[in-house]
Amino acid sequence: MPMELIAVWPPLFGALAGCSAFAGGQLVLRMPARVGLFQAFAAGMVVGAALFDLLPEALALHGPATLWPLLITLAVLIACLALARIARAGMRGQRGTIMPLFLVLHSLMDGASIALAFQLTSTAGWLVALAILAHDLADGVNIVSLSGGRGRARWWLAFNAVAPLIGTLLGGSLDLPAPALSALLAGMGGIFLFIAAFHLIPDSLERCPVWAATLLVATGLSGMAAITRLIGAF
């Protein structure tokens, strides 16, 4: 693929990822009574993105004979839990700031991951970009659900919409080796699992019946598995 096209694709995908997240957030803002259902479906997609895309990519980049990416994922998951406990103990009124901030930083990492993957090969870039696009609709749902108020949600949604584009521009200026990119993807996987397991699923269970939440989590998980398999086929 010509270098000119390789340089153009990451910012384009970054902009599309921001639009996808913004659309997901608007769905929640326009139908607040269905937030629990959106959260459950988003949780399934987020877990699916971690298990079927981010972690396999991290292992493939680092090499099949090592478990370092999984250890990084576990370390990030534990760190997120510790930060959440500190937040609950000392900043109870800031929950609507800390978790959306995590998601905006994650969106920056999404964009950087797209740019860095294109530095490896064009195929890797397309796979990572399309997988991120597939679950960014859920990111918009997440950020609105965790923002604590419609006014705050709109601001965080706007920040989150531009974050992937900024991330691609930052990532395009870096030249990371494959092991470093592997660590980045593994860390993103840990953040995804934390958000799903300790925020989205518990919150959805408070807002909708258990059977509905379970069905939607399974649907989101299955959908992400199918999308990842479809992307891999190409």
Side-chain angles (χ1 to χ4, degrees), residues 46-47 49-51 53-55 57-58 69 72-77 80 102-103 105-114 116 128 131-132 135-136 139 180-196:
V46 166
V47 172
L51 296 182
D53 178 62
L54 296 177
L55 295 181
E57 286 283 347
I72 292 171
T73 298
L74 180 61
V76 170
L77 181 59
C80 287
F102 277 164
L103 289 169
L105 292 175
H106 152 67
S107 292
L108 277 171
M109 293 173 65
D110 271 356
S113 297
I114 292 172
L116 292 168
V128 171
I132 286 173
H135 73 259
D136 262 6
D139 281 356
L181 181 57
S182 171
L184 177 67
L185 295 175
M188 288 171 57
I191 294 173
F192 272 34
L193 293 175
F194 167 75
I195 290 172

Side-chain angles (χ1 to χ4, degrees), residues 32-169:
R34 304 291 180 86
V35 167
L37 301 177
F38 283 122
Q39 285 178 313
F41 182 73
M45 291 196 71
V46 166
V47 172
L51 296 182
F52 304 129
D53 178 62
L54 296 177
L55 295 181
E57 286 283 347
L59 289 168
L61 286 169
H62 207 289
T66 180
L67 295 179
W68 274 111
L70 297 181
L71 295 177
I72 292 171
T73 298
L74 180 61
V76 170
L77 181 59
I78 293 172
C80 287
L81 280 170
L83 288 172
R85 286 184 176 275
I86 293 171
R88 281 197 297 267
M91 296 178 287
R92 295 184 184 276
Q94 300 298 315
R95 181 177 182 271
T97 299
I98 294 171
M99 290 311 303
L101 180 60
F102 277 164
L103 289 169
V104 171
L105 292 175
H106 152 67
S107 292
L108 277 171
M109 293 173 65
D110 271 356
S113 297
I114 292 172
L116 292 168
F118 269 103
Q119 291 182 18
L120 294 174
T121 66
S122 59
T123 301
W126 275 85
L127 289 173
V128 171
L130 291 176
I132 286 173
L133 280 177
H135 73 259
D136 262 6
L137 189 71
D139 281 356
V141 174
N142 300 345
I143 203 161
V144 171
S145 302
L146 297 171
S147 292
R150 293 176 65 89
R152 295 169 62 89
R154 292 183 189 279
W155 281 105
W156 281 115
L157 193 59
F159 291 144
N160 194 63
V162 299
L165 177 58
I166 295 173
T168 59
L169 299 176

Side-chain angles (χ1 to χ4, degrees), residues 8-19:
V8 167
W9 283 124
L12 177 60
F13 277 120
L16 289 174
C19 291

